[in-house]
Amino acid sequence: MPFVDTNVLLYLVSGDRGESAKQEKAAEILEREDLFLSVQVLQEFYVQATRLGRSDALTHEEAVELIESWKRYPVQELTVGILDRALAAKVRWQLSYWDAAILEAAREMECEELWSEDLADGQDYGGVRVVNPFA
């Protein structure tokens, strides 16, 4: 079962005409019933989707409504264990802390795939393989 990174959620609400194909793909992905998310992914979505200055910014209410709908998926909470493993993964694979934390949340949920365009497509991080769903 795939773990979904924040960029998939953000493409769903993108108002950029140049991203219409990615928006359609994101909508297709988010219709599935077998996805996993984390609290961090939902937090990042909220911050980026409602960011001042974003031309297609969502209102607080719109973002919260979407987040509530995505809680139908299993959502990995942030834990001290994930923090510790993310700090180690950051060093091991030379990732940003935030990418390492998403990777470790996916591992905690026993996901073998992390769907993201932020990490190297096809890269295996100790049993969690990155798949770029927009490639």
Side-chain angles (χ1 to χ4, degrees):
M1 301 243 251
F3 187 98
V4 176
D5 196 356
T6 311
N7 51 57
V8 175
L9 307 183
L10 287 170
Y11 280 128
L12 181 71
V13 300
S14 175
D16 184 339
R17 291 181 186 185
E19 295 178 344
S20 62
K22 289 181 178 184
Q23 184 180 38
E24 289 175 23
K25 182 64 176 178
E28 177 186 315
I29 291 167
L30 292 168
E31 288 176 7
R32 294 174 56 130
E33 295 181 15
D34 64 341
L35 303 176
F36 290 91
L37 302 169
S38 69
V39 169
Q40 176 189 340
V41 166
L42 296 175
Q43 289 172 323
E44 288 179 1
F45 168 79
Y46 178 84
V47 168
Q48 292 303 315
T50 61
R51 183 173 37 86
L52 292 177
R54 182 181 169 119
S55 63
D56 56 354
L58 299 181
T59 65
H60 168 81
E61 292 76 16
E62 291 168 331
V64 168
E65 185 177 327
L66 284 168
I67 290 168
E68 289 299 321
S69 77
W70 294 326
K71 288 182 185 176
R72 70 185 181 273
Y73 302 118
V75 177
Q76 176 60 51
E77 294 183 5
L78 300 174
T79 66
V80 172
I82 289 173
L83 167 70
D84 291 342
R85 288 187 298 279
L87 292 170
K90 176 196 182 321
V91 173
R92 179 177 180 191
W93 287 299
Q94 299 297 299
L95 301 171
S96 75
Y97 167 78
W98 302 112
D99 288 342
I102 287 174
L103 174 67
E104 292 307 317
R107 187 182 320 284
E108 183 72 18
M109 303 280 296
E110 299 182 355
C111 296
E112 294 179 2
E113 292 184 347
L114 168 57
W115 289 5
S116 175
E117 74 171 3
D118 290 344
L119 295 164
D121 188 29
Q123 176 70 43
D124 186 286
Y125 294 94
V128 178
R129 187 172 54 88
V130 174
V131 175
N132 182 346
F134 306 107

